[in-house]
């Protein structure tokens, strides 16, 4: 079974630049999550999709972050413009549905903002 | 406020030794608790999932316990190996329907030869 795919794996940008991350969940998984994990901390949920609808984006800094999941499959997360404090690993996860089902995580994208 | 606290923050042990990691939570209403292993540069991988009615779950050398009354969980690693070096994250989910996962900050384990 193929896992959750993310790209790129690493990205270095200067502050005020824009960046986009891509996630391809496990086939058939209706729920997709984007997390931000700052070094030494646990992941923080940014946004959760159920199919192509947003379930929770309460912790997404909407002035600079945006995400979409067109057609309920792949998803992109964009930061525009980036700040130094956005340096983190961005994890994508997917699950069949609901909170009682196991989440499968991708390898993450490590973003460094200089 | 829903919180998950883990201890210790970091731990160094010798290969072959056992260790126990702790997780205390204040999440309510509780649905399930998971332990994840996160290798450096990788995404978290699920080790165990326990619901309210389960108090022990094993996965090879990993054994998780859950005390829903005291809202505590532990992850015990037996006969540690170098490959156990990783961060271990405790995640608690609120009751189905609320779609909330609360992550702990993790325990960073280093196993030395």
């Amino acid at each position: 079974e193929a896992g959750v795919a993310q790209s790129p794996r690493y990205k270095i940008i200067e502050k005020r630049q824009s960046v986009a991350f891509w996630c391809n969940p496990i086939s058939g998984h209706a729920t997709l999550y984007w997390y931000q994990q700052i070094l030494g901390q646990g992941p923080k949920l940014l946004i959760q999709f159920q199919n192509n609808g947003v379930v929770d984006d309460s912790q997404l800094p909407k002035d600079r972050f945006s995400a979409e999941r067109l057609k309920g499959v792949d998803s992109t997360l964009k930061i525009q413009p980036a700040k130094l404090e956005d340096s983190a690993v961005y994890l994508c996860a997917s699950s069949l549905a609901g909170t009682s089902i196991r989440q499968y995580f991708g390898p993450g994208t490590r973003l460094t903002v200089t | 406020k829903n919180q998950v606290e883990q201890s210790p923050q970091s731990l160094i042990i010798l290969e072959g030794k056992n260790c126990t990691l702790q997780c205390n939570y204040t999440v309510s209403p509780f649905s399930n608790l998971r332990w994840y292993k996160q290798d450096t540069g990788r995404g978290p991988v699920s080790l165990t999932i326990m619901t309210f009615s389960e108090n022990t779950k094993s996965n090879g050398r990993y054994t998780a316990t859950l005390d829903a009354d005291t809202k505590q969980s532990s992850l015990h690693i037996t006969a540690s190996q170098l490959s156990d070096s990783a961060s271990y994250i405790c995640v608690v989910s609120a009751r189905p329907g609320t779609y909330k996962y609360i992550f702990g900050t993790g325990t960073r384990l280093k196993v030395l030869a």
Side-chain angles (χ1 to χ4, degrees), chain A residues 9 33 35 37 40-43 48 55-56 58 91 98-103 105-107, chain B residues 31-32 34 36 38 41-44 46 49 89 93-96 99-101 103-105:
Chain A
R9 290 296 313 277
Y33 315 79
Y35 291 90
Q37 186 175 25
Q41 299 182 17
Q48 178 179 341
V55 174
D56 184 352
S58 58
L91 294 166
T99 59
S100 62
I101 304 299
R102 174 180 164 180
Q103 286 180 308
F105 284 84
Chain B
S31 174
N32 59 72
R34 312 148 193 243
Y36 284 89
Q38 185 174 22
R42 302 273 183 102
S46 179
I49 300 175
I89 303 173
S93 301
R95 189 163 292 161
Y99 297 98
K100 291 293 185 185
Y101 296 91
F103 285 73
T105 55

Side-chain angles (χ1 to χ4, degrees), chain A residues 24 39 42 88:
Chain A
N24 179 235
L39 186 64

Side-chain angles (χ1 to χ4, degrees), chain A residues 65-102:
Chain A
F65 286 65
S66 65
E68 60 182 10
R69 192 184 184 197
L70 299 176
K71 301 180 180 178
V73 182
D74 293 3
S75 177
T76 56
L77 176 69
K78 297 179 181 178
I79 307 176
Q80 180 180 4
K83 293 185 176 181
L84 296 176
E85 58 262 36
D86 297 333
S87 295
V89 175
Y90 290 84
L91 294 166
C92 178
S94 69
S95 66
L96 282 168
T99 59
S100 62
I101 304 299
R102 174 180 164 180

Side-chain angles (χ1 to χ4, degrees), chain B residues 9 15 18 20-21 31 39 45 53 57 62 66 69 87 99 108:
Chain B
Q9 191 173 29
E15 186 178 16
N18 304 334
T20 300
L21 314 180
S31 174
D39 293 310
V45 175
S53 59
K57 185 73 71 79
Y62 301 100
L66 173 65
D69 291 331
S87 288
Y99 297 98
R108 188 179 300 273

